[in-house]
Amino acid sequence: MTLPIFTGWSDKMKKNRYCIAFLILIVLTGVFLALNVCAGSVSIPFTDVLKILGGQKVDSTSADIVMQIRFPRALAAAILGGGLALSGYLLQTFFHNPIAGPFILGISSGAKLVVALVMVLLLGSAIHISSMVMITAAFVGAMISMGFVLLMSRLMDQMSMLIVSGVMIGYICSAITDFIVTFADDADIVNLHNWSKGSFSGITWENVRVMAVVIFAASFCVFLMSKPISAYQMGESYARNMGLNVQLFRGLLVFFSSVLSACVTAFAGPVSFVGIAVPHLVKNLFQTSKPILMIPASFLGGAVFCLFCDLLARVVFAPTELSISTVTAVFGAPVVIFIMIHRKKEKAE
Amino acid sequence: MKEEFYFYTEGFTVGYHGVPLIKNIEIRLKKGEILTLIGPNGAGKTTILKSIIRQLAPIGGVVYLDGSNMHELSGRELSKKMSVVLTERVRPEMMTCKDVVATGRYPYTGKFGVLSRDDHRIVMESMELVHIAELADRDFSKTSDGQKQRVMLARAICQEPDMIVLDEPTSFLDIKYKLEFLSIIQKMSRSKNLSVIMSLHELELAERIADKIVCVKGDKVDRFGTPEEIFTPGYIPKLYQMTTGSYDELSGNLELEPVKGTPKVFVLAGAGTGTTVYRRLQREGIPFATGILWENDLDYPSAKALASEIISLKPFQPVEDAVLEHAKELIDFCQQVICTVDVGMYKDANQGLRELYDYAMQKHNM
């Protein structure tokens, strides 16, 4: 009877690993949040930041920078990064494909296109655009792209072709968006131009509130779905035999992954590679693919990854800012290449 | 009468997209029985199984499981009664074999699918039943096909069903694993009073393990019954529409197409010594005659399938002169005689056989 003891021991090892991994992610989130608030073209000492947050009097420029610019921006990077990673995780689950993600499948670009259209139309008539309008527009765009991708997945068995068609849809949407942005020569369009390249700048507290509500609510719902997701990982046939309503479940996966990536796109534009790289890195950190762990871990991982990338985007060539996708691509694309090589190897074995 | 059947169908018709493929399937199965589907490729075995496990909507008829209409059960109710092992390859990432087996507990766990102490115990018990306890912490993707299949069986068992449906579970296994796998299934069905429905390609294994066999052919179930009722002489070649080679229902002997033509070699054989020689002659494309064989001889099935001429006797009959003469004529006619039987054995053997042996010796200076 050494066996149960042995497995008990290894279960304990695993639990320890999970705890440590979560601890690492939480600490990193905290550290990067602090760094993102402190660092920049004007660096503000951490003690001052604490004073400002505590409501003590510090010089007003610093207070404004922290409270009006950096703090909401850092929060947005964390929340949107989490949402994006989670959206990627859901899409990978849905397509049983490790390199599926909202950006690569063209879903972000679809959202971007509709948001750009709505912005140009409404800016022209000088109507204030609320966060909810943006999210709704992005969601419509995301669903349109998603519809195309689903149609493609019906027509093509090969997963690699699905990715290629997603990338093509992305290019088409981006081309149309660029066209719109180029010919809409309003002063406000400068902002639109930045946004369409992907950026966390210009986030207001109102934005943060709305995105927090939407993304936290969606993420919570996704977390509640962790059990059916674990069934779906075994393939549709087995999932069905386990009593899962596959049709409904697939619908929910599409819905939530679209909501999450739409919300991100509405505020930060298309952000590349986070959706693929983060779930993969997190899976390796935890050495498991259990949804109940992967969902919160991907969220935290996405937050850390985006905070880190946004920090670099702001600081490396300060005061010039890089677009966020430039930085995420530098760190995310190698991960994708690694996954593909690794998969090829496994197949060859 | 029908109440004692755990699983039965009435006018069950299956197919794709509303087009019926196999009509009016009537299958009845008791608890603890093993039912096997056989039939040619593409006959629709998988279609029937898929419809039974509700992956495919049936086109007509009713399936009863444990006394109630199966298609009215909720997904969860059904999953507690029936589990499956499918041909679909699962490629879970970073899951240990134990994790894969544990997915079978799905219908019993709570909202978040966290395993209780009891669940863990049942998972380990299931793994021990199929002798894979030592694989518990191994990465599922790094195991062999045989091991994977047993993991999937353990998974199906730990779902604690009354019935397991398996689609060609032995197809990718080598002979050792085939036997091991089916032995486990047999043991399970006896000890847990489990009903089993599975499709098999291996006729000889189907015949041995099944309590009931369903033969699927064309658009219907051609035969349904016990192995004795199914494996009647001449039925299997008909079921599979075999045009080359032969299959002997009783011995399970399978042979390639015989070489036609007048015999060039006479094989003196018997007691199982001739079969390998017959097969070599077949491979070399040499027509041969053989004898004298009683129909209960071990060499008889392959001789009947491969020899262009065979001198045989009904079981336990003495060698009559006419038969002996005929054999001698054939020996005269052939260019060569091969004797596969140990000479010493012939010395004490039946009078007629010894005479034939001596005659052949003389004739061909062996």
Side-chain angles (χ1 to χ4, degrees):
Chain A
M1 291 307 284
T2 51
L3 216 60
I5 298 164
F6 175 68
T7 45
W9 173 76
S10 82
D11 279 353
K12 190 160 259 171
M13 288 284 287
K14 275 186 202 157
K15 261 183 204 142
N16 283 342
R17 186 184 187 108
Y18 302 153
C19 288
I20 292 167
F22 268 121
L23 207 67
I24 292 172
L25 287 177
I26 290 167
V27 168
L28 282 179
T29 311
V31 167
F32 279 112
L33 263 177
L35 275 175
N36 276 33
V37 176
C38 296
S41 42
V42 181
S43 57
I44 300 166
F46 187 60
T47 46
D48 283 6
V49 172
L50 287 181
K51 278 180 197 158
I52 293 163
L53 293 177
Q56 287 178 35
K57 259 262 172 261
V58 189
D59 82 292
S60 64
T61 335
S62 296
D64 276 352
I65 290 174
V66 170
M67 289 312 285
Q68 298 310 317
I69 301 170
R70 288 194 192 161
F71 200 48
R73 178 172 180 159
L75 281 178
I79 295 169
L80 297 179
L84 206 51
L86 202 51
S87 168
Y89 176 72
L90 293 181
L91 290 169
Q92 284 145 33
T93 307
F94 184 90
F95 290 110
H96 297 293
N97 186 329
I99 55 169
F103 186 80
I104 218 156
L105 290 176
I107 295 164
S108 299
S109 310
K112 175 174 87 166
L113 170 60
V114 178
V115 172
L117 265 177
V118 170
M119 272 171 125
V120 168
L121 285 177
L122 294 188
L123 281 175
S125 45
I127 300 168
H128 171 69
I129 305 166
S130 76
S131 303
M132 274 327 276
V133 172
M134 297 266 277
I135 293 177
T136 312
F139 181 71
V140 170
M143 287 307 273
I144 292 171
S145 283
M146 191 73 189
F148 270 114
V149 172
L150 287 177
L151 194 72
M152 290 295 173
S153 74
R154 283 255 169 118
L155 298 176
M156 282 176 285
D157 297 336
Q158 257 183 312
M159 274 300 160
S160 51
M161 291 312 291
L162 175 76
I163 300 289
V164 172
S165 64
V167 171
M168 293 306 135
I169 291 168
Y171 272 116
I172 295 168
C173 292
S174 291
I176 302 173
T177 313
D178 284 348
F179 186 80
I180 296 168
V181 172
T182 313
F183 286 94
D185 56 354
D186 199 280
D188 290 306
I189 295 303
V190 180
N191 228 348
L192 186 60
H193 184 76
N194 271 340
W195 168 86
S196 75
K197 291 264 174 288
S199 165
F200 288 121
S201 66
I203 299 274
T204 65
W205 277 108
E206 190 250 354
N207 293 154
V208 173
R209 267 190 293 275
V210 174
M211 74 175 72
V213 169
V214 173
I215 291 204
F216 285 139
S219 302
F220 183 69
C221 292
V222 169
F223 185 68
L224 291 181
M225 285 168 67
S226 55
K227 188 184 170 187
I229 290 174
S230 73
Y232 192 78
Q233 281 177 334
M234 294 293 293
E236 274 166 54
S237 307
Y238 281 111
R240 206 170 277 141
N241 177 253
M242 291 184 227
L244 180 68
N245 182 341
V246 172
Q247 224 62 26
L248 177 69
F249 174 78
R250 284 172 63 108
L252 286 174
L253 269 192
V254 169
F255 176 77
F256 283 117
S257 60
S258 299
V259 166
L260 287 169
S261 58
C263 186
V264 176
T265 312
F267 292 109
V271 181
S272 63
F273 292 108
V274 179
I276 306 173
V278 171
H280 182 76
L281 293 172
V282 167
K283 211 178 285 168
N284 276 302
L285 177 65
F286 280 72
Q287 286 294 318
T288 182
S289 59
K290 285 191 183 123
I292 199 161
L293 295 166
M294 281 301 290
I295 291 167
S298 292
F299 193 96
L300 284 172
V304 171
F305 190 77
C306 279
L307 282 169
F308 168 71
C309 289
D310 194 39
L311 184 67
L312 292 187
R314 290 191 306 123
V315 172
V316 174
F317 296 107
T320 311
E321 246 185 52
L322 296 169
S323 82
I324 184 72
S325 282
T326 310
V327 185
T328 53
V330 167
F331 292 96
V335 176
V336 176
I337 293 168
F338 175 80
I339 297 172
M340 296 208 300
I341 293 169
H342 190 71
R343 280 249 291 182
K344 186 118 196 183
K345 246 194 227 154
E346 243 174 36
K347 261 188 195 157
E349 276 170 16
Chain B
M1 181 64 197
K2 260 178 184 157
E3 274 65 53
E4 63 179 291
F5 290 111
Y6 181 73
F7 173 93
Y8 63 95
T9 62
E10 276 175 2
F12 191 40
T13 298
V14 303
Y16 290 94
H17 311 297
V19 182
L21 200 66
I22 301 144
K23 292 176 200 153
N24 285 319
I25 303 161
E26 305 270 338
I27 305 175
R28 291 170 298 281
L29 190 65
K30 287 178 198 161
K31 271 207 134 180
E33 278 188 332
I34 298 177
L35 178 136
T36 301
L37 272 76
I38 61 169
N41 282 339
K45 300 187 290 288
T46 301
T47 314
I48 295 177
L49 290 180
K50 272 189 178 169
S51 306
I52 287 175
I53 63 171
R54 295 213 310 205
Q55 304 278 355
L56 261 184
I59 289 171
V62 190
V63 179
Y64 292 94
L65 187 72
D66 202 7
S68 48
N69 183 341
M70 199 186 87
H71 286 267
E72 283 166 5
L73 293 175
S74 74
R76 192 172 209 171
E77 283 172 313
L78 182 65
S79 63
K80 287 182 180 178
K81 289 178 189 292
M82 182 194 278
S83 64
V84 296
V85 176
L86 304 169
T87 44
E88 184 180 303
R89 294 283 184 109
V90 283
R91 292 181 174 277
E93 276 181 291
M94 292 190 188
M95 279 173 89
T96 62
C97 292
K98 192 184 170 192
D99 290 338
V100 174
V101 174
T103 61
R105 297 305 297 163
Y106 187 90
Y108 303 94
T109 54
K111 264 254 167 300
F112 288 99
V114 179
L115 299 177
S116 68
R117 196 174 282 267
D118 264 354
D119 290 322
H120 275 293
R121 182 179 51 77
I122 294 165
V123 168
M124 282 319 290
E125 277 172 11
S126 314
M127 295 189 81
E128 271 155 32
L129 266 172
V130 294
H131 316 303
I132 50 163
E134 73 280 3
L135 295 181
D137 291 314
R138 188 92 67 83
D139 187 342
F140 180 76
S141 60
K142 296 204 167 69
T143 54
S144 72
D145 280 350
Q147 290 169 331
K148 280 197 178 85
Q149 199 68 341
R150 281 186 292 168
V151 170
M152 294 317 284
L153 180 63
R155 197 201 78 90
I157 290 166
C158 97
Q159 208 170 316
E160 296 193 308
D162 298 318
M163 184 163 126
I164 298 188
V165 177
L166 307 99
D167 191 7
E168 286 172 15
T170 54
S171 286
F172 296 105
L173 306 184
D174 67 24
I175 187 88
K176 165 188 145 89
Y177 283 130
K178 267 185 204 198
L179 290 175
E180 224 174 85
F181 192 86
L182 291 179
S183 305
I184 294 165
I185 287 181
Q186 194 172 51
K187 224 186 288 169
M188 289 295 314
S189 90
R190 279 189 203 139
S191 65
K192 301 210 160 193
N193 205 21
L194 204 66
S195 304
V196 176
I197 295 185
M198 63 180 160
S199 56
L200 281 182
H201 267 310
E202 300 85 355
L203 293 174
E204 66 283 7
L205 295 177
E207 188 185 358
R208 280 153 186 69
I209 195 173
D211 297 302
K212 294 280 164 56
I213 292 180
V214 171
C215 305
V216 188
K217 187 194 180 188
D219 64 348
K220 63 180 187 343
V221 169
D222 197 48
R223 272 191 191 186
F224 169 59
T226 59
E228 301 85 75
E229 289 166 333
I230 303 295
F231 285 85
T232 53
Y235 179 65
I236 293 302
K238 218 179 77 198
L239 174 67
Y240 284 87
Q241 290 172 312
M242 283 164 56
T243 49
T244 50
S246 62
Y247 180 82
D248 182 67
E249 280 80 1
L250 189 61
S251 62
N253 194 41
L254 189 71
E255 298 296 348
L256 291 173
E257 187 82 332
V259 184
K260 299 231 166 57
T262 51
K264 293 202 174 95
V265 176
F266 191 92
V267 186
L268 267 168
T273 59
T275 300
T276 52
V277 175
Y278 301 154
R279 289 182 185 151
R280 201 177 67 219
L281 290 168
Q282 192 275 345
R283 284 197 295 277
E284 287 168 6
I286 302 166
F288 66 91
T290 186
I292 299 171
L293 295 174
W294 281 263
E295 283 174 12
N296 56 347
D297 196 287
L298 276 176
D299 279 333
Y300 185 72
S302 50
K304 203 178 116 202
L306 296 176
S308 49
E309 195 153 344
I310 174 171
I311 297 165
S312 62
L313 295 167
K314 291 262 175 253
F316 317 116
Q317 292 298 303
V319 183
E320 286 158 24
D321 286 345
V323 176
L324 198 60
E325 281 314 307
H326 183 51
K328 284 180 179 167
E329 272 167 37
L330 265 176
I331 286 177
D332 292 341
F333 183 78
C334 289
Q335 297 150 8
Q336 202 190 342
V337 173
I338 299 174
C339 180
T340 61
V341 189
D342 181 28
V343 183
M345 215 160 84
Y346 260 178
K347 288 273 193 279
D348 309 320
N350 163 313
Q351 180 79 41
L353 283 185
R354 207 166 63 206
E355 195 183 325
L356 189 67
Y357 174 76
D358 291 338
Y359 180 79
M361 289 292 258
Q362 256 180 11
K363 191 80 188 167
H364 290 273
N365 301 319
M366 288 197 326

